[in-house]
Amino acid sequence: MSAGTITSTQPPCTTSADVRDLALRIRLGALDTIATAGLGHVGGDFSVTDILAVLYGGVLRVDPADPAWPDRDRFVMSKGHAAASLYTALALRGFFPESELATFAGPDSRLGGHPNRRKTPGIETNTGPLGHGLPVAVGMATGAQLAGAGWQTYVVVGDGEIQEGSNWEALMYAAHRGLSNLTLFVDRNRLQQGAGTEETNALDPLDEKIRAFGWETSVVDGHDIEALWAAIRAPRDHGRPVAIVADTVKGKGVSFMENLAAWHHKVPSAEQVELARAELMGARA
Amino acid sequence: MSAAPEIAMHDCRKAFAQTLIELARADERIVAVCNDSVGSSNLGGFREEFPERLINVGIAEQNMVGVAAGLANAGYLPFVSAASPFLTGRATEQIKADIVYSGANVKLCGQSPGVSYGELGPTHHSIEDIAWMRALDDLPIVVPADPEQTVEAVRWAAEVEGPVFLRIGRYKVPSVSEGQVPAFRPGRAEQLTDGDDVTLVANGTMVTVALQAAGQLEASGIRARVLNMATVHPLDHESLLRAARETRGIVTVEESVPRGGLGGAAAEFLAENQPARMRLLGTHEFAVTGDVEYLFDRFDLTPGGVADAARNLLAT
Ligand SMILES: Cc1ncc(C[n+]2csc(CCOP(=O)(O)OP(=O)(O)O)c2C)c(N)n1
Ligand SMILES: [Mg+2]
């Protein structure tokens, strides 16, 4: 990652190319992390990677030396099963050594199968059961609004996850409060655990539904760094919370994983890890 | 009903899924209700045979339980099948109001309970489910120890009118009721070994551990009575009273929190009726990171851990 660092709280990437490099490193790191542990959720790790890279690379004002810095931006990974990519992003931002990723899910590790704020630096709230992150993020944004603080709250939910009713309660209340300091990404990879979202409990037209709840919404290619960055930076003078429906591909970047429900939590063999690594590196070369 | 096909007698989830299919062949009212859990609940076979009778509401447990209550109202016999932490945790109030308080004829099947999700951590562990369900008025709670008990418990649940909570284990277990006919009697403990020094009361995956502990104790001259208490509610009071009178102490062992769990249930009853010296073993806190075996070790839910607890109890 090239240096664009002014203070430790500033995001390190200044160009889209930097963010793309970071995304590659997150995918490679998550792949190794999962292969070493022998468990994980690679499909959802790879669909959300570019969102994580934009946030940790170019957007979030956080301080790895002081994870509890009161004025930090808040990030909530509601789909906590994507822990391997989240941990990798945190390690690359400096919250803990990259070498610690090898302990993922191991005995007494700080890096459990789902994120735990009482153990892992940089985690704001514990997730794993789906449908918890957005309500907590709405609370964070409400807190900033009450305090007149300038920090932002960002939250990622899975598309299958949004079938949980708690999300819709939170969507309603965020709009009610006019939380323009809140940004929701829906990782719209169109797959949940066992099948497609549309054959299970259909979500389309998702952006229109969220807009009807009073949010400012956009649909972007969730692997297009510039488009994601632009959507985050769009003016907020509308007084509404912002939802970015990010069209993504589950297993993005590895041809044999892409768009297959089976790769929700399948673990690649040693040979598949090599193939995956080669594809990921080749695409960035 | 036609003769039961062969069931792999080591996997409670398979025994559950296979039995549900057999019951559904004979009873058109039976529907399976789940939350994007066709794979994790082993409902693939059910879906193949009865595609229209598999109601997958998506990732929405509160809706799932409410929908099941409505289906029961419409004359169906729903078996709700979902990971136990999300079924019992997320939808607690739906279970309370829509199922138990309303008396809906719904069978709640909590899959992969206890710490069976290992490394996925405390959000996915279901160590509170027994305590939560026990707090609900008169809800029968069954924790089968092996596939034989699972088959019979599922059949019983289908026959009995009203709500039932079944806790279906995730990983393979040895049979503890082989040759025992019937393998499961609702509300009755099965005495698996005779002994009058100490009683080990266990259920689910911990029955095997208790049996192995009894073996270790026997080697050091302590005769342990092992009770498989598959039904947590209603509890087998007679067996507990006898254990309290005839042995010098009672150790309960469960893959859940003892406060409110099997241990709590036994202690509450005995405190009022036949005070006994007890040790309540189980998972006492949110687990550290680790696989199932590691976690059992950490919680002393091992033959050695249970034997030690029994020795300590007798020594004090
Ligand atoms: C409340 C709850 N119910 C069920 C699950 C089991 N589960 C884990 S991941 C998953 C699918 C999630 O799909 P989605 O939100 O689309 O995530 P992604 O496709 O990004 O992996 C399910 C059902 C859970 N973690 N929490
Ligand atoms: Mg998805």
Side-chain angles (χ1 to χ4, degrees), chain B residues 109-177:
Chain B
C109 308
Q111 307 278 340
S112 303
V115 296
S116 62
Y117 277 122
E119 304 91 327
L120 295 187
T123 57
H124 283 54
H125 296 163
S126 196
I127 57 174
E128 306 87 356
D129 51 0
I130 301 293
W132 289 335
M133 296 299 100
R134 252 196 84 223
L136 297 173
D137 182 31
D138 208 21
L139 172 66
I141 298 171
V142 179
V143 185
D146 60 13
E148 290 90 334
Q149 286 210 306
T150 303
V151 169
E152 293 183 20
V154 172
R155 289 192 182 138
W156 167 76
E159 271 166 33
V160 72
E161 181 72 24
V164 170
F165 176 64
L166 296 177
R167 198 184 197 235
I168 310 295
R170 175 182 180 79
Y171 37 84
K172 294 174 180 166
V173 285
S175 166
V176 297
S177 41

Side-chain angles (χ1 to χ4, degrees), chain A residues 47 79 158-161 187-193 197 250:
Chain A
S47 64
K79 37 169 275 186
D159 51 357
E161 176 177 15
D187 183 355
R188 185 72 174 110
N189 58 30
R190 309 191 77 84
L191 286 173
Q192 45 197 93
Q193 183 167 274
T197 58
K250 207 157 175 170

Side-chain angles (χ1 to χ4, degrees), chain B residues 52-63:
Chain B
E52 280 171 10
R53 287 156 69 183
L54 189 275
I55 313 287
N56 178 2
V57 301
I59 310 169
E61 294 75 18
Q62 299 179 65
N63 190 41

Side-chain angles (χ1 to χ4, degrees), chain B residues 176-210:
Chain B
V176 297
S177 41
E178 214 179 318
Q180 175 192 306
V181 181
F184 167 73
R185 293 178 293 171
R188 295 282 294 277
E190 302 300 338
Q191 184 168 327
L192 302 181
T193 65
D194 296 331
D196 41 25
D197 290 324
V198 66
T199 305
L200 309 178
V201 181
N203 63 18
T205 50
M206 288 298 121
V207 176
T208 300
V209 174

Side-chain angles (χ1 to χ4, degrees), chain B residues 201 227 229 235-245 250 252 265-266 269-270 274 278:
Chain B
V201 181
L227 295 179
M229 192 70 75
L235 206 56
D236 183 344
H237 292 161
E238 276 313 308
S239 294
L240 285 173
L241 285 173
R242 273 200 306 277
R245 288 184 190 127
I250 297 176
T252 64
F269 169 72
L270 291 173
Q274 183 76 39
M278 298 183 75

Side-chain angles (χ1 to χ4, degrees), chain A residues 155-174:
Chain A
V155 52
V156 173
V157 305
D159 51 357
E161 176 177 15
I162 213 164
Q163 290 163 350
E164 290 283 1
S166 51
N167 290 300
W168 299 92
E169 299 174 21
L171 284 168
M172 226 184 312
Y173 190 63

Side-chain angles (χ1 to χ4, degrees), chain A:
Chain A
M1 208 182 310
S2 75
T5 313
I6 303 161
T7 74
S8 64
T9 64
Q10 293 300 316
C13 298
T14 51
T15 68
S16 305
D18 290 346
V19 175
R20 267 188 284 277
D21 286 339
L22 177 59
L24 173 62
R25 293 180 66 193
I26 294 175
R27 283 200 176 84
L28 293 174
L31 181 69
D32 278 346
T33 300
I34 289 169
T36 305
L39 65 93
H41 293 81
V42 69
D45 277 320
F46 284 4
S47 64
V48 79
T49 296
D50 297 296
I51 296 168
L52 283 173
V54 170
L55 286 172
Y56 279 95
V59 174
L60 292 176
R61 293 176 67 252
V62 288
D63 185 356
D66 181 13
W69 174 44
D71 286 330
R72 70 193 181 281
D73 290 333
R74 269 49 167 194
F75 174 67
V76 175
M77 175 68 99
S78 190
K79 37 169 275 186
H81 56 284
S85 56
L86 175 60
Y87 293 152
T88 307
L90 287 169
L92 293 172
R93 183 72 189 259
F95 280 91
F96 47 83
E98 274 182 73
S99 58
E100 196 171 335
L101 294 170
T103 71
F104 175 57
D108 292 302
S109 174
R110 291 200 292 180
L111 310 179
H114 291 88
N116 182 348
R117 72 181 285 268
R118 290 158 70 182
K119 291 190 177 159
T120 315
I123 300 296
E124 300 287 350
T125 187
N126 297 6
T127 52
L130 299 166
H132 285 252
L134 183 56
V136 178
V138 168
M140 292 169 176
T142 301
Q145 184 191 56
L146 285 174
W151 49 267
Q152 296 289 308
T153 300
Y154 302 90
V155 52
V156 173
V157 305
D159 51 357
E161 176 177 15
I162 213 164
Q163 290 163 350
E164 290 283 1
S166 51
N167 290 300
W168 299 92
E169 299 174 21
L171 284 168
M172 226 184 312
Y173 190 63
H176 174 75
R177 291 202 67 103
L179 296 177
S180 56
N181 58 354
L182 174 65
T183 305
L184 161 68
F185 297 87
V186 182
D187 183 355
R188 185 72 174 110
N189 58 30
R190 309 191 77 84
L191 286 173
Q192 45 197 93
Q193 183 167 274
T197 58
E198 300 315 281
E199 57 185 301
T200 305
N201 187 5
L203 302 171
D204 281 338
L206 186 56
D207 59 317
E208 286 178 32
K209 288 176 182 168
I210 297 174
R211 191 174 310 128
F213 271 61
W215 286 55
E216 189 71 15
T217 59
S218 60
V219 180
V220 306
D221 176 344
H223 303 301
D224 180 335
I225 303 295
E226 278 92 2
L228 285 167
W229 219 336
I232 296 167
R233 285 174 169 162
R236 303 268 169 153
D237 49 13
H238 42 64
R240 285 188 288 275
V242 171
I244 300 170
V245 177
D247 281 331
T248 56
V249 173
K250 207 157 175 170
K252 172 71 179 179
V254 178
S255 55
F256 60 87
M257 294 181 182
E258 288 188 354
N259 291 314
L260 290 176
W263 282 99
H264 175 71
H265 56 196
K266 201 168 142 179
V267 178
S269 65
E271 191 188 336
Q272 287 171 323
V273 169
E274 284 318 310
L275 286 171
R277 190 178 289 134
E279 270 196 44
L280 291 168
M281 310 244 285
R284 186 72 191 108

